[in-house]
Amino acid sequence: MFRDMCALYAFMRVTDDLGDDERHTIEQRRINISEWRDDLQTALMGCFHHSNVVSSTPNLIFPAITDVVQRHGIASDALFEVIAGVESDLSPRIFSSFDELNHYCYQVAGVVGLCCLHIWGFDGSTASIERGIQCGTAFQLINILRDLKEDTLRDRVYLPREDLTAYGYSQEDLMHQRLTPEFKNMMAFQVHRAWTFFEQATPLLQSLPKPGQRILSAMFEIYGRLLVKIEQQQFDVFSKRISLSKWEKMSISVRSSCGLKSRIPKRQAEN
């Protein structure tokens, strides 16, 4: 399982890097991603060849990820969805509605969750598949809130325009990182949404074998703590980046490795 997860991570890491590599122009990154997609298609058809995209790395990744896809019954469409999601980030990011953002979350995170389920092994139920998607969405929403400042500086606005409008907070306010009452109210709504997906996904743990449970419960703890920290900082994600300390990360890792129960945070009672 460890090697299979490494192969999946390597594919996702390279795909993401192709979209974020600022050494290349946007147009060159589009070309690189297109070549990466073509190489993946060729590999899945059983023909491995050298790609010009990332040195010789694909010669290692494509046979490995193809093997993982075939052995675990992963739909190859999931990998192409990830590529499409990363490629979409090359254009200015403005989401009109949460439905649009939700689809993006599915592409870059939900399908990753589904791939992990197949590698870990799960009960195969429709409910578990839905929770796997919800899990990916929850984690991606938390990433968006944590990285709000950095993404805004890169002209990527992941918060739906309908939410900004509803709370009287403009895109210009966001670009200038204005920490207003309207911003805090809007962020409280975003955090509430993230908690909802988070809570809907946690029963997924019961449908996984022990190794998968340990990995996913650690991820739930990490992302849950990030969400709690956002609330504790009164939604101020501009002045200080939200992160876990080295001690917190080490503690979670050790408990997960030893098979000890994770301390998954819970939402505080709302007034």
Side-chain angles (χ1 to χ4, degrees), residues 1 6 41 43 60 64 69 72-73 83 100 112 156 160 173 209 214 222-223 237 240 255 266:
M1 184 179 73
C6 287
Q41 182 65 61
L60 302 176
V69 165
H72 294 287
I83 294 175
E100 293 180 7
V112 178
R156 295 178 180 177
D173 291 330
R214 288 199 295 269
I222 289 171
Y223 279 94
V237 293
K240 179 183 178 181
R255 280 189 281 106
K266 295 184 181 295

Side-chain angles (χ1 to χ4, degrees), residues 107-120:
Q107 288 182 309
V108 299
V111 295
V112 178
L114 295 182
C115 290
C116 290
L117 289 187
H118 282 84
I119 292 174
W120 297 335

Side-chain angles (χ1 to χ4, degrees), residues 42-260:
T42 301
L44 291 171
M45 292 171 63
C47 304
F48 307 128
H49 69 280
H50 179 73
S51 168
N52 293 321
V53 177
V54 190
S55 184
S56 61
T57 302
N59 282 334
L60 302 176
I61 293 177
F62 287 136
I65 194 64
T66 299
D67 175 63
V68 170
V69 165
Q70 293 174 345
R71 282 191 295 104
H72 294 287
I74 298 172
S76 58
D77 287 351
L79 304 182
F80 291 105
E81 285 283 4
V82 173
I83 294 175
V86 170
E87 186 175 36
S88 70
D89 271 332
L90 296 180
S91 302
R93 298 308 309 183
I94 298 178
F95 295 94
S96 297
S97 66
F98 178 69
D99 286 343
E100 293 180 7
L101 175 59
N102 197 27
H103 177 65
Y104 171 77
C105 288
Y106 170 76
Q107 288 182 309
V108 299
V111 295
V112 178
L114 295 182
C115 290
C116 290
L117 289 187
H118 282 84
I119 292 174
W120 297 335
F122 72 113
D123 60 14
S125 68
T126 301
S128 293
I129 291 174
E130 180 61 29
R131 285 167 181 156
I133 295 173
Q134 291 168 336
C135 181
T137 300
F139 292 170
Q140 187 62 26
L141 290 177
I142 294 169
N143 282 336
I144 288 171
L145 298 180
R146 178 196 61 185
D147 299 337
L148 194 59
K149 176 180 179 179
E150 292 80 1
D151 287 334
T152 300
L153 293 175
R154 299 169 73 179
D155 292 326
R156 295 178 180 177
V157 179
Y158 293 100
L159 299 180
R161 181 183 295 159
E162 64 182 9
D163 294 346
L164 297 177
T165 300
Y167 285 90
Y169 192 77
S170 69
Q171 188 171 328
E172 182 183 357
D173 291 330
L174 185 59
M175 293 297 179
H176 287 85
Q177 302 172 24
R178 292 170 179 150
L179 192 66
T180 65
E182 290 79 10
F183 173 78
K184 291 186 176 182
N185 290 335
M186 185 270 298
M187 284 290 285
F189 173 75
Q190 303 298 328
V191 167
H192 172 84
R193 174 185 280 155
W195 272 123
T196 299
F197 278 95
F198 188 95
E199 292 166 348
Q200 290 172 340
T202 50
L204 178 62
L205 290 168
Q206 307 309 314
S207 67
L208 299 177
K210 292 297 182 181
Q213 283 186 14
R214 288 199 295 269
I215 297 172
L216 185 58
S217 61
M219 294 175 69
F220 271 124
E221 182 171 357
I222 289 171
Y223 279 94
R225 287 196 184 194
L226 289 173
L227 204 49
V228 168
K229 285 177 179 284
I230 291 174
E231 293 177 303
Q232 290 175 338
Q233 283 194 197
Q234 298 295 303
F235 312 113
D236 181 4
V237 293
F238 295 137
S239 61
K240 179 183 178 181
R241 179 176 169 79
I242 306 294
S243 64
L244 301 187
S245 66
K246 290 183 179 180
W247 171 252
E248 287 176 299
K249 294 176 183 177
M250 184 181 300
S251 174
I252 294 171
S253 177
V254 169
R255 280 189 281 106
S256 176
S257 299
C258 295
L260 301 177

